[in-house]
Coordinates of all heavy atoms in Angstrom, one line a residue:
M17 N -18.5 6.8 19.0 CA -17.7 5.5 19.0 C -17.2 5.3 17.5 O -17.9 5.6 16.6 CB -18.6 4.4 19.4 CG -17.7 3.2 19.9 SD -18.8 2.0 20.7 CE -19.2 0.9 19.3
S18 N -15.9 5.0 17.4 CA -15.4 4.8 16.0 C -15.5 3.4 15.6 O -15.3 2.4 16.3 CB -13.9 5.2 16.1 OG -13.3 4.8 14.9
S19 N -15.8 3.2 14.3 CA -15.8 1.9 13.7 C -14.5 1.5 13.0 O -14.4 0.5 12.4 CB -17.0 1.7 12.7 OG -16.8 2.7 11.7
D20 N -13.5 2.4 13.1 CA -12.2 2.2 12.5 C -11.6 0.9 13.0 O -11.7 0.6 14.2 CB -11.3 3.3 12.7 CG -11.7 4.5 11.9 OD1 -12.5 4.4 11.0 OD2 -11.1 5.6 12.1
K21 N -11.0 0.2 12.1 CA -10.3 -1.0 12.5 C -8.8 -0.9 12.1 O -8.5 -0.4 11.0 CB -10.9 -2.2 11.7 CG -10.6 -3.5 12.2 CD -11.4 -4.6 11.4 CE -10.5 -5.7 10.9 NZ -11.2 -6.5 9.9
R22 N -8.0 -1.3 13.1 CA -6.5 -1.2 12.8 C -6.0 -2.6 12.4 O -6.3 -3.6 13.0 CB -5.8 -0.7 14.0 CG -6.1 0.7 14.4 CD -5.1 1.4 15.1 NE -4.4 0.7 16.2 CZ -3.4 1.2 16.9 NH1 -3.0 2.4 16.7 NH2 -2.9 0.5 17.9
V23 N -5.2 -2.6 11.3 CA -4.6 -3.8 10.9 C -3.1 -3.6 11.0 O -2.5 -2.7 10.4 CB -4.9 -4.1 9.4 CG1 -4.2 -5.3 8.9 CG2 -6.4 -4.2 9.2
F24 N -2.4 -4.6 11.7 CA -1.0 -4.5 11.8 C -0.4 -4.8 10.5 O -0.7 -5.8 9.8 CB -0.5 -5.5 12.9 CG 1.0 -5.7 12.9 CD1 1.8 -4.8 13.5 CD2 1.6 -6.8 12.3 CE1 3.1 -4.9 13.6 CE2 2.9 -7.0 12.3 CZ 3.7 -6.0 13.0
V25 N 0.6 -4.0 10.0 CA 1.2 -4.3 8.7 C 2.6 -4.6 8.8 O 3.1 -5.4 7.9 CB 0.9 -3.1 7.7 CG1 -0.5 -3.0 7.4 CG2 1.5 -1.8 8.2
C26 N 3.4 -4.1 9.7 CA 4.8 -4.4 9.8 C 5.4 -3.7 11.0 O 4.7 -2.9 11.7 CB 5.6 -3.9 8.5 SG 5.5 -2.1 8.2
T27 N 6.6 -4.0 11.3 CA 7.3 -3.2 12.3 C 8.1 -2.1 11.6 O 8.4 -2.2 10.4 CB 8.3 -4.0 13.2 OG1 9.3 -4.6 12.3 CG2 7.5 -5.2 13.9
T28 N 8.5 -1.1 12.4 CA 9.2 0.0 11.7 C 10.6 -0.4 11.2 O 11.1 0.2 10.3 CB 9.4 1.2 12.7 OG1 10.0 0.7 13.9 CG2 8.1 1.9 13.0
S29 N 11.2 -1.5 11.8 CA 12.5 -1.9 11.3 C 12.4 -2.9 10.2 O 13.4 -3.3 9.6 CB 13.3 -2.5 12.5 OG 12.6 -3.5 13.1
E30 N 11.2 -3.4 10.0 CA 11.0 -4.5 9.0 C 11.2 -4.0 7.5 O 11.6 -4.7 6.7 CB 9.6 -5.1 9.2 CG 9.3 -6.3 8.4 CD 7.9 -6.8 8.8 OE1 7.3 -6.4 9.8 OE2 7.4 -7.6 8.0
L31 N 10.7 -2.7 7.3 CA 10.8 -2.2 6.0 C 11.7 -1.1 5.9 O 11.5 0.0 6.5 CB 9.4 -1.7 5.5 CG 8.3 -2.7 5.2 CD1 7.1 -2.0 4.7 CD2 8.8 -3.7 4.2
A32 N 12.8 -1.3 5.2 CA 13.8 -0.2 5.0 C 13.2 0.8 3.9 O 12.3 0.5 3.2 CB 15.1 -0.8 4.4
P33 N 13.7 2.0 3.9 CA 13.3 3.0 2.9 C 13.4 2.3 1.5 O 14.4 1.7 1.2 CB 14.2 4.2 3.0 CG 14.6 4.1 4.5 CD 14.7 2.6 4.8
G34 N 12.3 2.5 0.7 CA 12.3 1.9 -0.6 C 11.8 0.5 -0.7 O 11.7 -0.1 -1.8
A35 N 11.5 -0.1 0.5 CA 10.9 -1.5 0.5 C 9.4 -1.5 0.7 O 8.8 -0.5 1.1 CB 11.6 -2.2 1.7
M36 N 8.8 -2.6 0.3 CA 7.4 -2.7 0.5 C 7.1 -4.2 0.9 O 8.0 -5.1 0.8 CB 6.6 -2.3 -0.8 CG 7.0 -3.2 -2.0 SD 6.1 -2.5 -3.4 CE 7.2 -3.2 -4.7
K37 N 5.8 -4.4 1.2 CA 5.5 -5.7 1.8 C 4.0 -6.0 1.5 O 3.1 -5.1 1.7 CB 5.7 -5.7 3.3 CG 5.2 -7.0 4.0 CD 5.2 -6.7 5.5 CE 4.6 -7.9 6.2 NZ 4.5 -7.7 7.6
L38 N 3.7 -7.2 1.1 CA 2.3 -7.7 1.0 C 1.8 -8.0 2.3 O 2.4 -8.7 3.1 CB 2.3 -8.9 0.1 CG 0.9 -9.6 -0.1 CD1 -0.1 -8.7 -0.8 CD2 1.0 -10.9 -0.8
V39 N 0.6 -7.5 2.6 CA -0.1 -7.8 3.9 C -1.4 -8.6 3.5 O -2.4 -7.9 2.9 CB -0.5 -6.6 4.7 CG1 -1.2 -6.9 6.0 CG2 0.8 -5.8 4.9
E40 N -1.4 -9.9 3.7 CA -2.6 -10.6 3.3 C -3.7 -10.6 4.3 O -3.4 -10.7 5.5 CB -2.2 -12.1 3.1 CG -1.2 -12.3 1.9 CD -0.9 -13.7 1.6 OE1 0.0 -14.2 2.3 OE2 -1.5 -14.3 0.8
R41 N -4.9 -10.4 3.9 CA -6.1 -10.4 4.8 C -7.3 -10.7 4.0 O -7.4 -10.6 2.8 CB -6.2 -9.0 5.5 CG -6.3 -7.8 4.5 CD -6.2 -6.5 5.3 NE -7.3 -6.2 6.0 CZ -8.4 -5.5 5.5 NH1 -8.4 -5.1 4.2 NH2 -9.4 -5.2 6.2
E42 N -8.3 -11.3 4.7 CA -9.5 -11.8 4.1 C -10.3 -10.7 3.4 O -10.9 -10.9 2.3 CB -10.4 -12.5 5.1 CG -9.9 -13.8 5.5 CD -10.9 -14.5 6.5 OE1 -12.0 -13.9 6.7 OE2 -10.5 -15.5 7.1
D43 N -10.2 -9.5 3.9 CA -11.0 -8.4 3.3 C -10.3 -7.7 2.2 O -10.7 -6.6 1.8 CB -11.4 -7.4 4.4 CG -12.3 -8.0 5.5 OD1 -12.9 -9.0 5.2 OD2 -12.4 -7.5 6.6
G44 N -9.3 -8.2 1.7 CA -8.5 -7.6 0.6 C -7.1 -7.3 1.1 O -6.9 -6.7 2.1
N45 N -6.2 -7.8 0.3 CA -4.8 -7.6 0.6 C -4.3 -6.2 0.5 O -4.9 -5.4 -0.2 CB -3.9 -8.4 -0.3 CG -4.1 -9.9 -0.1 OD1 -4.6 -10.4 0.9 ND2 -3.6 -10.7 -1.0
L46 N -3.3 -5.8 1.3 CA -2.8 -4.5 1.4 C -1.3 -4.5 1.0 O -0.7 -5.6 1.1 CB -2.9 -3.9 2.8 CG -4.3 -3.9 3.5 CD1 -4.2 -3.4 4.9 CD2 -5.2 -3.0 2.7
T47 N -0.8 -3.4 0.6 CA 0.7 -3.3 0.4 C 1.1 -2.1 1.3 O 0.5 -1.1 1.3 CB 1.1 -3.0 -1.0 OG1 0.5 -4.0 -1.9 CG2 2.6 -2.9 -1.2
A48 N 2.1 -2.4 2.1 CA 2.8 -1.4 3.0 C 4.1 -1.0 2.4 O 4.8 -1.8 1.8 CB 3.0 -2.0 4.4
Y49 N 4.3 0.3 2.4 CA 5.5 0.9 1.8 C 6.3 1.7 2.7 O 5.7 2.4 3.6 CB 5.1 1.8 0.6 CG 4.1 1.3 -0.4 CD1 2.8 1.3 -0.1 CD2 4.5 0.8 -1.6 CE1 1.8 0.9 -1.0 CE2 3.6 0.3 -2.5 CZ 2.2 0.4 -2.2 OH 1.3 0.0 -3.1
N50 N 7.6 1.7 2.6 CA 8.4 2.8 3.3 C 9.0 3.7 2.2 O 9.8 3.2 1.3 CB 9.5 2.1 4.0 CG 10.4 3.1 4.8 OD1 10.5 4.3 4.4 ND2 11.1 2.6 5.8
V51 N 8.5 4.9 2.1 CA 9.0 5.8 1.1 C 9.8 6.9 1.8 O 9.2 7.7 2.6 CB 7.8 6.5 0.3 CG1 8.3 7.5 -0.7 CG2 7.0 5.5 -0.4
E52 N 11.1 6.8 1.7 CA 12.0 7.8 2.3 C 11.7 7.9 3.8 O 11.7 9.0 4.3 CB 11.9 9.1 1.6 CG 12.4 9.0 0.1 CD 12.3 10.3 -0.6 OE1 11.7 11.2 -0.1 OE2 12.8 10.3 -1.8
G53 N 11.4 6.8 4.5 CA 11.3 6.8 5.9 C 9.9 7.0 6.4 O 9.6 6.9 7.6
T54 N 8.9 7.2 5.5 CA 7.5 7.4 5.9 C 6.8 6.2 5.4 O 6.9 5.7 4.3 CB 6.9 8.7 5.3 OG1 7.7 9.8 5.8 CG2 5.5 8.9 5.8
F55 N 5.9 5.7 6.3 CA 5.1 4.5 5.9 C 3.8 4.8 5.3 O 3.1 5.8 5.7 CB 4.9 3.6 7.2 CG 6.2 3.0 7.7 CD1 6.9 3.6 8.6 CD2 6.6 1.7 7.2 CE1 8.1 3.1 9.1 CE2 7.8 1.2 7.6 CZ 8.5 1.9 8.6
Y56 N 3.4 4.1 4.3 CA 2.1 4.2 3.6 C 1.5 2.9 3.3 O 2.2 1.9 3.2 CB 2.3 4.9 2.2 CG 2.9 6.3 2.3 CD1 4.3 6.5 2.3 CD2 2.1 7.4 2.5 CE1 4.8 7.8 2.4 CE2 2.6 8.7 2.7 CZ 4.0 8.9 2.6 OH 4.5 10.1 2.7
V57 N 0.2 2.9 3.2 CA -0.5 1.6 2.9 C -1.5 1.9 1.8 O -2.3 2.9 1.9 CB -1.2 1.0 4.2 CG1 -2.0 -0.2 3.8 CG2 -0.1 0.7 5.2
T58 N -1.6 1.0 0.8 CA -2.6 1.0 -0.2 C -3.2 -0.4 -0.3 O -2.7 -1.3 0.2 CB -2.1 1.4 -1.6 OG1 -1.3 0.3 -2.1 CG2 -1.2 2.6 -1.5
E59 N -4.3 -0.4 -1.0 CA -4.8 -1.8 -1.4 C -3.7 -2.4 -2.3 O -3.0 -1.7 -3.0 CB -6.2 -1.7 -2.1 CG -6.2 -1.0 -3.4 CD -7.6 -0.9 -4.0 OE1 -8.2 -2.0 -4.0 OE2 -8.0 0.2 -4.4
D60 N -3.7 -3.7 -2.3 CA -2.6 -4.4 -3.1 C -3.0 -4.6 -4.5 O -2.1 -4.7 -5.4 CB -2.3 -5.7 -2.4 CG -1.2 -6.5 -3.2 OD1 -0.1 -5.9 -3.3 OD2 -1.5 -7.5 -3.7
R61 N -4.3 -4.7 -4.8 CA -4.7 -5.1 -6.2 C -4.7 -3.9 -7.1 O -5.3 -2.8 -6.8 CB -6.0 -5.7 -6.1 CG -6.4 -6.3 -7.5 CD -7.6 -7.2 -7.3 NE -8.5 -7.0 -8.5 CZ -9.6 -7.7 -8.7 NH1 -10.1 -8.4 -7.7 NH2 -10.3 -7.5 -9.8
C62 N -4.0 -4.0 -8.2 CA -4.1 -2.9 -9.2 C -5.5 -2.7 -9.7 O -6.2 -3.7 -9.9 CB -3.2 -3.3 -10.4 SG -3.1 -2.1 -11.7
S63 N -5.8 -1.5 -9.9 CA -7.2 -1.2 -10.4 C -7.4 -1.5 -11.8 O -8.5 -1.4 -12.4 CB -7.5 0.3 -10.1 OG -6.7 1.1 -10.8
H64 N -6.3 -1.8 -12.5 CA -6.4 -2.1 -14.0 C -6.6 -3.6 -14.2 O -7.0 -4.0 -15.3 CB -5.1 -1.6 -14.7 CG -5.1 -1.9 -16.1 ND1 -4.3 -2.8 -16.7 CD2 -5.9 -1.4 -17.1 CE1 -4.5 -2.9 -18.0 NE2 -5.5 -2.0 -18.3
G65 N -6.2 -4.5 -13.3 CA -6.2 -5.9 -13.5 C -6.1 -6.7 -12.2 O -6.3 -6.2 -11.2
L66 N -5.6 -7.9 -12.4 CA -5.5 -8.8 -11.2 C -4.1 -8.8 -10.6 O -3.8 -9.7 -9.8 CB -5.9 -10.2 -11.6 CG -7.4 -10.3 -11.9 CD1 -7.7 -11.7 -12.4 CD2 -8.2 -10.0 -10.7
A67 N -3.3 -7.8 -10.9 CA -1.9 -7.9 -10.4 C -1.8 -7.4 -9.0 O -2.6 -6.6 -8.5 CB -1.0 -6.9 -11.3
S68 N -0.8 -8.0 -8.3 CA -0.4 -7.6 -6.9 C 0.6 -6.5 -7.0 O 1.8 -6.7 -7.5 CB 0.1 -8.8 -6.2 OG 0.8 -8.4 -5.0
L69 N 0.3 -5.3 -6.5 CA 1.3 -4.2 -6.5 C 2.5 -4.5 -5.7 O 3.6 -3.9 -6.0 CB 0.6 -2.9 -6.1 CG -0.6 -2.4 -7.0 CD1 -1.3 -1.2 -6.4 CD2 0.0 -2.1 -8.4
A70 N 2.4 -5.3 -4.7 CA 3.6 -5.7 -3.9 C 4.6 -6.4 -4.7 O 5.8 -6.5 -4.3 CB 3.1 -6.5 -2.7
E71 N 4.3 -6.9 -5.9 CA 5.2 -7.5 -6.7 C 5.8 -6.6 -7.8 O 6.6 -6.9 -8.6 CB 4.6 -8.7 -7.5 CG 4.2 -9.8 -6.5 CD 3.4 -11.0 -7.2 OE1 3.4 -11.0 -8.4 OE2 2.9 -11.8 -6.4
G72 N 5.4 -5.3 -7.7 CA 5.9 -4.3 -8.6 C 7.1 -3.6 -8.1 O 7.9 -4.2 -7.3
A73 N 7.3 -2.4 -8.5 CA 8.6 -1.7 -8.1 C 8.2 -0.3 -7.6 O 7.4 0.4 -8.2 CB 9.5 -1.6 -9.3
I74 N 8.9 0.1 -6.6 CA 8.7 1.5 -6.1 C 9.7 2.4 -6.9 O 10.9 2.1 -6.9 CB 9.1 1.6 -4.6 CG1 8.1 0.8 -3.7 CG2 9.1 3.1 -4.1 CD1 8.4 0.8 -2.2
I75 N 9.2 3.4 -7.4 CA 10.0 4.4 -8.1 C 9.7 5.8 -7.6 O 8.6 6.3 -7.8 CB 9.7 4.4 -9.7 CG1 10.0 3.0 -10.2 CG2 10.6 5.4 -10.4 CD1 9.6 2.8 -11.6
G76 N 10.6 6.3 -6.7 CA 10.3 7.5 -6.0 C 9.1 7.3 -5.1 O 9.2 6.5 -4.2
D77 N 8.0 8.1 -5.3 CA 6.9 7.9 -4.4 C 5.7 7.3 -5.2 O 4.6 7.4 -4.9 CB 6.4 9.2 -3.8 CG 6.0 10.3 -4.8 OD1 6.1 10.0 -6.0 OD2 5.6 11.4 -4.3
E78 N 6.1 6.5 -6.3 CA 5.1 5.8 -7.1 C 5.4 4.3 -7.1 O 6.5 3.9 -6.9 CB 5.2 6.3 -8.5 CG 4.8 7.8 -8.6 CD 5.0 8.3 -10.0 OE1 6.2 8.3 -10.5 OE2 4.1 8.8 -10.7
I79 N 4.3 3.6 -7.3 CA 4.4 2.1 -7.4 C 4.1 1.8 -8.8 O 3.0 2.2 -9.4 CB 3.4 1.4 -6.4 CG1 3.5 -0.1 -6.6 CG2 2.0 1.9 -6.5 CD1 4.8 -0.8 -6.3
E80 N 5.0 1.0 -9.4 CA 4.8 0.5 -10.8 C 4.2 -0.9 -10.8 O 4.8 -1.8 -10.2 CB 6.1 0.5 -11.5 CG 6.0 0.1 -13.0 CD 7.3 0.0 -13.7 OE1 8.1 -0.9 -13.2 OE2 7.6 0.8 -14.6
C81 N 3.1 -1.1 -11.4 CA 2.4 -2.4 -11.5 C 3.3 -3.4 -12.3 O 3.8 -3.0 -13.3 CB 1.1 -2.3 -12.1 SG 0.2 -3.8 -12.3
P82 N 3.4 -4.6 -11.8 CA 4.3 -5.6 -12.5 C 3.6 -6.1 -13.8 O 4.3 -6.7 -14.6 CB 4.5 -6.7 -11.5 CG 3.2 -6.7 -10.7 CD 2.9 -5.2 -10.6
M83 N 2.3 -5.9 -14.0 CA 1.6 -6.5 -15.1 C 1.8 -5.7 -16.4 O 2.3 -6.2 -17.4 CB 0.2 -6.7 -14.8 CG -0.6 -7.4 -15.8 SD -0.5 -9.2 -15.6 CE -1.7 -9.5 -14.3
H84 N 1.3 -4.4 -16.4 CA 1.4 -3.6 -17.6 C 2.2 -2.3 -17.4 O 2.1 -1.4 -18.1 CB 0.0 -3.3 -18.1 CG -0.9 -4.5 -18.3 ND1 -2.0 -4.7 -17.4 CD2 -0.8 -5.5 -19.1 CE1 -2.5 -5.9 -17.8 NE2 -1.9 -6.4 -18.8
F85 N 2.8 -2.3 -16.2 CA 3.7 -1.1 -15.9 C 3.0 0.2 -15.7 O 3.6 1.3 -15.9 CB 4.9 -1.1 -16.9 CG 5.5 -2.4 -17.0 CD1 5.4 -3.1 -18.2 CD2 6.3 -2.9 -15.9 CE1 6.0 -4.4 -18.3 CE2 6.9 -4.2 -16.0 CZ 6.7 -4.9 -17.2
G86 N 1.7 0.2 -15.5 CA 1.0 1.4 -15.0 C 1.5 1.8 -13.7 O 2.1 1.0 -13.0
M87 N 1.2 3.0 -13.3 CA 1.7 3.5 -12.0 C 0.7 4.3 -11.2 O -0.3 4.9 -11.7 CB 3.0 4.4 -12.3 CG 4.1 3.7 -12.9 SD 5.5 4.7 -13.3 CE 6.3 4.9 -11.7
F88 N 0.9 4.3 -9.9 CA 0.1 5.1 -8.9 C 1.0 5.8 -8.0 O 2.1 5.4 -7.6 CB -0.8 4.1 -8.1 CG -1.7 3.2 -8.9 CD1 -1.3 2.0 -9.3 CD2 -2.9 3.6 -9.3 CE1 -2.1 1.1 -10.0 CE2 -3.8 2.8 -10.0 CZ -3.3 1.6 -10.4
N89 N 0.5 7.0 -7.5 CA 1.1 7.7 -6.5 C 0.8 6.9 -5.2 O -0.3 6.7 -4.8 CB 0.6 9.1 -6.4 CG 1.3 9.9 -5.3 OD1 1.2 9.6 -4.1 ND2 2.0 11.0 -5.8
I90 N 1.9 6.5 -4.5 CA 1.7 5.7 -3.2 C 1.0 6.5 -2.1 O 0.2 6.0 -1.4 CB 3.1 5.2 -2.7 CG1 3.6 4.2 -3.7 CG2 3.0 4.7 -1.3 CD1 5.1 3.9 -3.4
K91 N 1.2 7.8 -2.1 CA 0.6 8.7 -1.1 C -0.8 9.0 -1.3 O -1.6 9.1 -0.3 CB 1.4 10.0 -1.0 CG 2.9 9.7 -0.7 CD 3.7 11.0 -0.7 CE 5.2 10.8 -0.5 NZ 6.0 12.0 -0.5
T92 N -1.3 9.1 -2.5 CA -2.6 9.5 -2.8 C -3.5 8.4 -3.5 O -4.7 8.5 -3.5 CB -2.7 10.7 -3.7 OG1 -2.1 10.3 -5.0 CG2 -1.8 11.9 -3.2
G93 N -2.8 7.4 -4.1 CA -3.5 6.4 -4.8 C -3.9 6.8 -6.2 O -4.4 6.0 -7.0
E94 N -3.6 8.0 -6.6 CA -4.0 8.5 -7.9 C -3.1 7.8 -9.0 O -1.9 7.6 -8.8 CB -3.8 10.0 -8.0 CG -4.8 10.8 -7.2 CD -6.2 10.6 -7.7 OE1 -6.5 10.5 -8.9 OE2 -7.1 10.5 -6.8
P95 N -3.8 7.4 -10.1 CA -3.0 6.9 -11.2 C -2.1 7.9 -11.8 O -2.5 9.1 -12.0 CB -4.1 6.4 -12.2 CG -5.2 7.3 -11.9 CD -5.2 7.6 -10.4
T96 N -0.8 7.5 -12.1 CA 0.1 8.5 -12.7 C 0.7 8.0 -14.0 O 1.4 8.8 -14.7 CB 1.3 8.7 -11.7 OG1 1.9 7.4 -11.4 CG2 0.8 9.4 -10.4
A97 N 0.4 6.8 -14.4 CA 0.8 6.3 -15.8 C -0.2 5.3 -16.3 O -0.7 4.5 -15.6 CB 2.2 5.7 -15.7
A98 N -0.4 5.4 -17.6 CA -1.3 4.5 -18.3 C -0.7 3.1 -18.3 O 0.5 2.9 -18.2 CB -1.5 4.9 -19.7
P99 N -1.5 2.0 -18.3 CA -3.0 2.1 -18.6 C -3.8 2.3 -17.3 O -5.0 2.2 -17.4 CB -3.2 0.7 -19.2 CG -2.3 -0.2 -18.4 CD -1.0 0.7 -18.3
C100 N -3.2 2.6 -16.2 CA -4.1 2.8 -15.0 C -4.8 4.1 -15.1 O -4.2 5.2 -15.4 CB -3.2 2.8 -13.8 SG -2.2 1.3 -13.6
S101 N -6.1 4.1 -14.8 CA -6.9 5.3 -14.8 C -7.8 5.5 -13.6 O -8.4 6.5 -13.5 CB -7.7 5.3 -16.1 OG -8.6 4.2 -16.1
I102 N -7.9 4.4 -12.8 CA -8.7 4.5 -11.6 C -7.8 4.4 -10.4 O -6.9 3.6 -10.3 CB -9.7 3.3 -11.6 CG1 -10.6 3.3 -12.8 CG2 -10.5 3.3 -10.3 CD1 -11.3 2.0 -13.0
A103 N -8.1 5.3 -9.4 CA -7.3 5.4 -8.2 C -7.4 4.1 -7.4 O -8.5 3.5 -7.4 CB -7.7 6.6 -7.4
I104 N -6.4 3.8 -6.7 CA -6.4 2.7 -5.7 C -6.7 3.3 -4.4 O -6.4 4.5 -4.1 CB -5.1 1.8 -5.7 CG1 -3.9 2.7 -5.5 CG2 -5.0 1.0 -7.0 CD1 -2.6 1.9 -5.3
R105 N -7.2 2.5 -3.4 CA -7.4 3.0 -2.1 C -6.2 3.2 -1.3 O -5.2 2.4 -1.4 CB -8.4 2.1 -1.3 CG -9.8 2.1 -1.8 CD -10.7 1.4 -0.8 NE -10.8 2.2 0.5 CZ -11.5 1.8 1.5 NH1 -12.3 0.7 1.4 NH2 -11.6 2.5 2.6
T106 N -6.1 4.2 -0.5 CA -5.0 4.4 0.4 C -5.6 4.4 1.8 O -6.8 4.7 2.0 CB -4.3 5.7 0.2 OG1 -5.2 6.8 0.3 CG2 -3.7 5.8 -1.2
Y107 N -4.8 4.1 2.8 CA -5.3 3.9 4.2 C -4.4 4.8 5.1 O -3.2 4.8 5.0 CB -5.3 2.5 4.6 CG -6.1 1.6 3.8 CD1 -5.6 1.0 2.6 CD2 -7.5 1.4 4.1 CE1 -6.5 0.2 1.8 CE2 -8.3 0.7 3.3 CZ -7.8 0.1 2.1 OH -8.6 -0.7 1.3
P108 N -5.0 5.4 6.1 CA -4.2 6.2 7.1 C -3.3 5.2 7.8 O -3.7 4.0 8.1 CB -5.3 6.8 8.0 CG -6.5 6.8 7.2 CD -6.5 5.6 6.3
V109 N -2.1 5.7 8.2 CA -1.2 4.8 8.9 C -1.0 5.4 10.3 O -1.0 6.6 10.5 CB 0.2 4.8 8.2 CG1 1.3 4.3 9.0 CG2 0.1 4.1 6.9
Q110 N -1.0 4.5 11.3 CA -0.7 4.9 12.7 C 0.5 4.1 13.1 O 0.6 2.9 12.9 CB -1.9 4.6 13.6 CG -3.1 5.5 13.3 CD -4.3 5.2 14.2 OE1 -4.2 4.2 15.0 NE2 -5.3 6.0 14.1
I111 N 1.4 4.7 13.9 CA 2.6 4.0 14.4 C 2.5 4.1 15.9 O 2.3 5.1 16.5 CB 3.9 4.7 13.9 CG1 3.9 4.6 12.4 CG2 5.1 4.0 14.5 CD1 5.1 5.1 11.7
D112 N 2.6 2.9 16.5 CA 2.6 2.7 18.0 C 3.9 2.1 18.3 O 4.1 0.9 18.1 CB 1.4 1.8 18.4 CG 0.2 2.5 18.9 OD1 0.3 3.8 18.9 OD2 -0.8 1.9 19.2
G113 N 4.8 2.8 18.9 CA 6.1 2.3 19.2 C 6.7 1.8 17.9 O 7.0 2.6 17.1
E114 N 7.0 0.5 17.8 CA 7.6 0.0 16.6 C 6.6 -0.7 15.7 O 7.0 -1.3 14.7 CB 8.7 -1.0 17.0 CG 9.8 -0.3 17.8 CD 11.0 -1.2 18.0 OE1 10.9 -2.4 17.7 OE2 12.1 -0.7 18.4
Q115 N 5.3 -0.6 16.0 CA 4.3 -1.3 15.2 C 3.6 -0.3 14.3 O 3.2 0.8 14.7 CB 3.3 -2.0 16.1 CG 4.0 -3.1 17.0 CD 2.9 -3.9 17.7 OE1 2.0 -3.4 18.3 NE2 3.1 -5.2 17.6
V116 N 3.5 -0.7 13.0 CA 2.9 0.1 12.0 C 1.5 -0.5 11.7 O 1.4 -1.7 11.4 CB 3.7 0.2 10.8 CG1 3.0 1.1 9.7 CG2 5.1 0.7 11.1
F117 N 0.5 0.3 11.8 CA -0.9 -0.1 11.5 C -1.5 0.7 10.4 O -1.2 1.8 10.2 CB -1.8 0.1 12.8 CG -1.4 -0.7 14.0 CD1 -0.5 -0.2 14.9 CD2 -1.9 -2.0 14.2 CE1 -0.1 -0.9 16.0 CE2 -1.5 -2.7 15.3 CZ -0.6 -2.2 16.2
A118 N -2.4 0.0 9.7 CA -3.3 0.7 8.7 C -4.6 0.8 9.3 O -5.1 -0.1 9.9 CB -3.3 -0.1 7.4
V119 N -5.3 2.0 9.2 CA -6.6 2.1 9.6 C -7.6 1.9 8.4 O -7.6 2.6 7.5 CB -6.9 3.5 10.2 CG1 -8.3 3.7 10.7 CG2 -5.9 3.8 11.3
V120 N -8.3 0.8 8.5 CA -9.2 0.4 7.4 C -10.6 0.6 7.8 O -10.9 0.6 9.0 CB -8.9 -1.1 7.0 CG1 -7.5 -1.3 6.6 CG2 -9.3 -2.0 8.2
G121 N -11.4 0.9 6.8 CA -12.8 1.3 7.1 C -13.5 0.4 8.1 O -14.3 0.5 8.8
Ligands
LIG18 S1 -2.9 -4.9 -14.1 FE1 -1.8 -3.2 -13.3 S2 -1.3 -2.0 -15.0 FE2 -2.5 -3.6 -15.8

């Protein structure tokens, strides 16, 4: 039996390529991204501070934090620009019809 939990994040038509969205939830907010037609989900909070990554900017396949402009790879969560040095969590994405879900622990 799986303990995975699916969280609805958006519909496939809701996020155009290059767009992202804040997904608020009690267990920690998420950010959903459309990178060149593929959906990704990460935790929303920057690992460097209290910033919301959904308020940042997508540059290629990276998210730039709005606070100190550190960056992470959206696909892997790895930090790609200082001052970020700790990876953010990424979540597997499942698409059911037009609904996009994140699989959270
Ligand atoms: S809070 Fe994100 S780079 Fe500092």
Side-chain angles (χ1 to χ4, degrees):
M17 203 168 91
S18 168
S19 62
D20 286 351
K21 190 173 135 194
R22 297 206 311 179
V23 175
F24 172 76
V25 295
C26 63
T27 62
T28 52
S29 58
E30 189 178 341
L31 287 186
M36 62 184 156
K37 173 192 172 183
L38 173 66
V39 180
E40 293 183 276
R41 53 192 287 271
E42 281 182 11
D43 294 342
N45 293 344
L46 307 175
T47 304
Y49 312 81
N50 180 336
V51 178
E52 295 176 353
T54 303
F55 291 90
Y56 298 92
V57 176
T58 72
E59 63 180 314
D60 179 61
R61 186 167 147 182
C62 181
S63 62
H64 180 252
L66 292 176
S68 166
L69 294 175
E71 295 176 7
I74 295 177
I75 300 171
D77 61 359
E78 296 173 299
I79 176 67
E80 181 187 64
C81 178
M83 186 86 82
H84 308 109
F85 309 108
M87 297 176 78
F88 301 92
N89 184 296
I90 291 169
K91 302 175 181 178
T92 66
E94 290 297 320
T96 55
C100 301
S101 60
I102 300 168
I104 54 172
R105 286 195 67 178
T106 60
Y107 299 90
V109 168
Q110 291 181 354
I111 298 181
D112 260 358
E114 297 191 348
Q115 297 191 309
V116 182
F117 295 90
V119 181
V120 300

